[in-house]
Amino acid sequence: MSDALKHECGIALVRLLKPLEYYKEKYGTAFYGVNKMYLMMEKQHNRGQDGAGFASIKLDVDPGERYISRVRSNASQPIQDIFAQINKRINEEFSEHPEYKDDVAAQKKNIPYLGELFLGHVRYGTFGGNSVENVHPFLRQNNWMHRNLIIAGNFNMTNTNQLFDSLIELGMHPKEKADTITVMEKIGHFLDDEVRKLYKKSKAKGLSKIEASPYIVDNLNVTKILKKSSKSWDGGYAMAGLLGHGDAFVFRDPAGIRPAYYYKDDEVVVVASERPVIQTVFNVPFEEVKEIDPGTAIIIKKNGSLGISQIIEPLERKSCSFERIYFSRGSDAEIYQERKELGRLVMPKVLEAINYDTENSVFSFIPNTAETSFYGMLDAAQNELNKQKNEAILKEKEGLTKERLQQIQAHKIRTEKIAIKDVKLRTFITDDSSRDDLVAHVYDVTYGVVKSTDNLVIIDDSIVRGTTLKKSILKMLDRLNPKQIVVVSSAPQIRYPDCYGIDMARLEKLIAFQAALALHKEKGNINIVDEIYAKCKAQVNVADHEQINHVKELYAPFTDEEISDKIATIISDESIKSKVKVIFQSVDDLHIACPKNLGDWYFTGNYPTDGGNRVVNKAFINFVEGNPERAY
């Protein structure tokens, strides 16, 4: 992807179902769970590199013994950093106490991080800064084991302010307004309430205070807690939580916006944000890794039993299509085929742009995430070439010579590795012209393979802001002196802000939004901005379910092609000599390629939750008023 785009987060949960001695005997180490957590988090580093965190819980410990361990890092390589800290502590214990080596009970009692229940998180910071205090998992501590709560998630709430206010109404004093804190405190409130009620019931049954604890463990209703906590949530989320005594849950939003998968056998229960992570780390087939359904939670009790509960009535499924286009690992069997299909489906527009001249066209891709869609585009190009060969042979069949036949058959699709991404260039120079010159060299190109008579077709997975295209990629491609540069996006035009976890909050940063504004200016209709602004302002105090996305009116007068052509103009300054054409995937073809992930709000403005329309209108108000803050 050419535009730097922070997004998403990743979660990993492991619950060991056997005693630790089992793993020591079978796998040679009681730290089997810790090792698997490292692999699961490392396999999801694509989902977050601003921070990482790890938490573990030991089951059935004696009072006075520490049973929760947590480590977090915002270092430059946070996953490696937290596991370096864990390994250092473990090795120190073994060095000081060599007698622990074959004594699993002593290891569990005395060595931190060893346990039966683990939760990990990798973070991209779209809100709240990148201090270690913003890194998950978050911990809500209490001397009652059952009331300790550890939370980590891949989520963004659109109504954090309302959630914050609801906590105040409950008499609480939250330490900050971040959605993670508000969500954790909401769950914590109803967890406390449930524990108190169960304690009263235990007393009514004549149980002693000590006997009350196992009664609470056996009867704690996690489903009820989650139902009460999530009544007013509006957003996309895959929320994971651990309770101090050993219950755990992972809860997915009712529209299925954020992904979550799980696997269970007689040794482990595993949850991750991506299916191939579980497949690879635990060596299990595709069909044995299940998706958590929208609106449901998997709940793992302390006794190891796994249940699936509906927490919220599911909405129309609108799973994030950007997961399939870009975010998730391309090694997923379905995602790989879907990305190829995206490349194949956009090819008819490419052929029109190059006037079906495959002989004088070079095809390539922006490294690295567009590579798979490039293969799909090539498949379609090869089909077109085969068609051209067949037509030529049939047309000339009467006088076709062996030499001419060989000439026709020798025609091949020309593919080259054109764009090469160099190491990240950094500068402390504040002069804009100097910085722009350095930015232009983020990408390099391969010389000597493109002729002045060639079309140069290059595909990217998406075009968000167009900044890197304008300041780097196009300038470098133009040095090859092609006849035409055709920039292809396997995703449709990104027209609207995201509010569910992707760092696309400001409308004015989106190149499609800039193009629509430019077209209105050209047509003398820029007053439409004031009209939309007035409509958005009129809805400021309107309930979320009554909000209308008025920003759609900005794009309504124009075809997709008009906006694409204007984008081509915007990203091509006067220094570009080659003709530039920009082609985007259509929304209809996106749905054909990714039929299970129909969440397309950033392309269509059709938000899956009520809060989305409020966010897009607020984003437009912020744009007009020059307010740089995000709208949620």
Side-chain angles (χ1 to χ4, degrees):
M1 190 180 201
S2 54
D3 284 327
L5 187 63
K6 291 185 176 181
H7 61 89
E8 304 301 309
C9 291
I11 56 174
L13 184 148
V14 171
R15 168 63 155 90
L16 302 181
L17 300 177
K18 303 283 190 182
L20 293 178
E21 288 80 3
Y22 172 90
Y23 304 95
K24 169 71 171 173
E25 182 177 344
K26 183 172 181 178
Y27 299 105
T29 177
F31 292 89
Y32 174 83
V34 176
N35 294 338
K36 290 298 186 183
M37 283 296 294
Y38 169 70
L39 292 172
M40 290 180 69
M41 292 174 68
E42 192 60 67
K43 294 291 183 183
Q44 294 184 96
H45 77 271
N46 56 297
R47 302 188 69 84
Q49 297 168 26
D50 288 340
F54 169 100
S56 64
I57 290 179
K58 303 174 189 285
L59 302 182
D60 300 315
V61 301
D62 293 329
E65 295 179 4
R66 184 173 179 177
Y67 57 95
I68 295 177
S69 297
R70 180 180 62 151
V71 58
R72 299 180 294 173
S73 174
N74 63 343
S76 59
Q77 294 184 306
I79 299 172
Q80 290 87 336
D81 184 49
I82 62 173
F83 282 95
Q85 294 181 53
I86 292 170
N87 289 334
K88 180 182 178 184
R89 182 64 189 278
I90 292 170
N91 290 332
E92 286 174 352
E93 291 291 339
F94 279 131
S95 177
E96 294 175 13
H97 301 279
E99 67 273 16
Y100 292 171
K101 183 178 179 183
D102 295 312
D103 188 342
V104 175
Q107 290 176 19
K108 178 177 175 178
K109 181 175 181 178
N110 297 290
I111 300 178
Y113 310 113
L114 179 61
E116 293 89 355
L117 183 56
F118 307 91
L119 179 60
H121 187 266
V122 291
R123 178 179 189 266
Y124 264 128
T126 58
F127 181 61
N130 288 328
S131 77
V132 73
E133 294 301 316
N134 297 113
V135 177
H136 300 200
F138 280 33
L139 173 60
R140 189 177 190 264
Q141 292 181 291
N142 195 286
N143 279 330
W144 281 67
M145 181 180 282
H146 329 82
R147 291 164 68 172
N148 282 284
L149 175 63
I150 302 171
I151 287 287
N154 170 18
F155 66 96
N156 258 94
M157 298 298 177
T158 71
N159 61 336
T160 300
N161 290 335
Q162 293 94 315
L163 295 176
F164 182 83
D165 292 342
S166 71
L167 293 178
I168 296 174
E169 291 169 6
L170 290 170
M172 301 175 71
H173 190 92
K175 62 182 181 180
E176 58 181 283
K177 198 178 278 191
D179 51 6
T180 309
I181 295 292
T182 56
V183 165
M184 182 174 68
E185 292 299 336
K186 193 84 167 178
I187 297 172
H189 170 78
F190 289 106
L191 172 61
D192 291 346
D193 188 53
E194 179 75 1
V195 170
R196 278 193 296 267
K197 289 177 179 177
L198 287 172
Y199 179 71
K200 287 182 180 179
K201 286 183 179 180
S202 72
K203 298 296 288 181
K205 291 178 178 290
L207 300 178
S208 69
K209 292 180 179 179
I210 293 177
E211 291 170 331
S213 186
Y215 175 82
I216 293 170
V217 170
D218 292 339
N219 292 278
L220 192 68
N221 190 332
V222 177
T223 296
K224 187 163 81 171
I225 294 168
L226 292 177
K227 283 183 176 181
K228 288 182 176 181
S229 305
S230 62
K231 276 185 178 179
S232 56
W233 292 358
D234 188 293
Y237 48 87
M239 191 85 59
L242 312 180
L243 306 185
H245 64 273
D247 284 0
F249 64 85
V250 179
F251 173 28
R252 191 178 183 198
D253 69 83
I257 296 170
R258 300 274 70 88
Y261 297 87
Y262 74 98
Y263 165 76
K264 181 184 185 298
D265 60 22
D266 63 342
E267 294 183 350
V268 293
V269 178
V270 187
V271 182
S273 294
E274 299 188 24
R275 177 169 28 215
V277 172
I278 300 174
Q279 286 184 256
T280 300
V281 173
F282 291 89
N283 192 25
V284 294
F286 176 94
E287 59 274 8
E288 291 189 18
V289 181
K290 308 299 183 184
E291 187 175 9
I292 299 176
D293 290 330
T296 67
I298 67 165
I299 296 170
I300 311 162
K301 294 297 289 179
K302 177 182 177 291
N303 63 14
S305 63
L306 184 146
I308 298 176
S309 299
Q310 181 176 304
I311 307 300
I312 301 178
E313 185 72 28
L315 302 172
E316 181 183 1
R317 184 184 172 107
K318 291 290 183 180
S319 299
C320 176
S321 56
F322 243 120
E323 284 281 352
R324 319 301 275 191
I325 296 166
Y326 166 58
F327 296 148
S328 291
R329 292 168 69 90
S331 56
D332 182 280
E334 289 183 342
I335 291 175
Y336 182 79
Q337 295 300 329
E338 289 170 7
R339 288 181 183 173
K340 284 189 70 175
E341 187 71 356
L342 287 169
R344 188 186 70 79
L345 290 171
V346 80
M347 192 59 187
K349 293 181 182 178
V350 175
L351 290 170
E352 288 181 19
I354 63 174
N355 198 27
Y356 296 86
D357 185 5
T358 56
E359 187 169 354
N360 293 298
S361 297
V362 175
F363 296 86
S364 193
F365 63 92
I366 304 295
N368 287 314
T369 49
E371 185 174 3
T372 306
S373 57
F374 169 69
Y375 293 143
M377 190 172 70
L378 283 188
D379 287 347
Q382 189 60 53
N383 291 338
E384 171 62 24
L385 180 57
N386 291 339
K387 177 184 174 184
Q388 292 178 6
K389 289 180 179 180
N390 290 339
E391 290 174 350
I393 291 170
L394 290 172
K395 183 178 180 180
E396 302 178 32
K397 63 181 180 180
E398 300 298 333
L400 191 63
T401 64
K402 181 179 179 181
E403 290 75 17
R404 175 56 180 153
L405 180 60
Q406 288 178 337
Q407 183 183 22
I408 294 172
Q409 297 285 22
H411 183 190
K412 296 179 180 179
I413 297 295
R414 294 166 60 197
T415 64
E416 303 289 350
K417 187 170 184 178
I418 297 294
I420 303 164
K421 190 168 186 179
D422 281 335
V423 295
K424 187 180 290 185
L425 296 173
R426 298 180 181 273
T427 177
F428 299 101
I429 300 172
T430 57
D431 176 69
D432 286 344
S433 60
S434 298
R435 188 189 300 112
D436 286 350
D437 183 59
L438 284 164
V439 170
H441 289 81
V442 169
Y443 285 85
D444 205 344
V445 288
T446 304
Y447 294 93
V449 293
V450 177
K451 304 190 298 289
S452 60
T453 54
D454 285 336
N455 299 295
L456 176 53
V457 179
I458 193 154
I459 189 169
D460 200 355
D461 46 46
S462 58
I463 302 171
V464 184
R465 305 177 186 98
T467 307
T468 309
L469 268 175
K470 181 174 184 176
K471 293 188 175 182
S472 177
I473 295 172
L474 274 182
K475 291 180 183 296
M476 300 305 287
L477 295 179
D478 192 56
R479 295 183 180 188
L480 303 178
N481 196 32
K483 175 177 67 177
Q484 177 182 220
I485 300 171
V486 181
V487 180
V488 184
S489 169
S490 69
Q493 297 165 1
I494 298 170
R495 299 181 170 190
Y496 303 92
D498 180 75
C499 51
Y500 306 116
I502 309 171
D503 187 18
M504 300 189 303
R506 294 176 61 183
L507 273 169
E508 66 271 23
K509 296 290 186 180
L510 305 179
I511 190 71
F513 183 81
Q514 297 170 26
L517 287 177
L519 288 169
H520 280 295
K521 287 179 181 177
E522 288 178 4
K523 296 181 181 297
N525 191 34
I526 198 60
N527 61 315
I528 193 172
V529 171
D530 295 330
E531 295 169 6
I532 296 172
Y533 174 71
K535 292 177 181 179
C536 292
K537 288 288 283 187
Q539 290 196 121
V540 167
N541 295 314
V542 172
D544 283 0
H545 69 276
E546 297 178 359
Q547 295 265 344
I548 297 171
N549 180 356
H550 289 295
V551 183
K552 288 184 177 183
E553 297 169 28
L554 188 79
Y555 300 99
F558 310 117
T559 65
D560 291 352
E561 288 71 26
E562 285 178 300
I563 292 175
S564 296
D565 290 344
K566 179 51 64 176
I567 289 173
T569 302
I570 292 172
I571 63 176
S572 310
D573 61 30
E574 61 280 358
S575 68
I576 304 295
K577 300 183 294 295
S578 305
K579 178 186 175 183
V580 175
K581 174 76 173 174
V582 178
I583 294 172
F584 287 88
Q585 186 77 257
S586 71
V587 172
D588 288 343
D589 282 346
L590 169 70
H591 291 169
I592 292 171
C594 308
K596 295 181 181 179
N597 284 53
L598 300 178
D600 58 8
W601 53 91
Y602 14 68
F603 311 126
T604 64
N606 299 327
Y607 288 87
T609 74
D610 291 335
N613 287 335
R614 172 177 47 77
V615 168
V616 69
N617 289 331
K618 183 64 166 64
F620 194 87
I621 292 170
N622 287 351
F623 155 68
V624 174
E625 295 178 353
N627 182 353
E629 294 184 358
R630 72 177 193 170
Y632 56 97

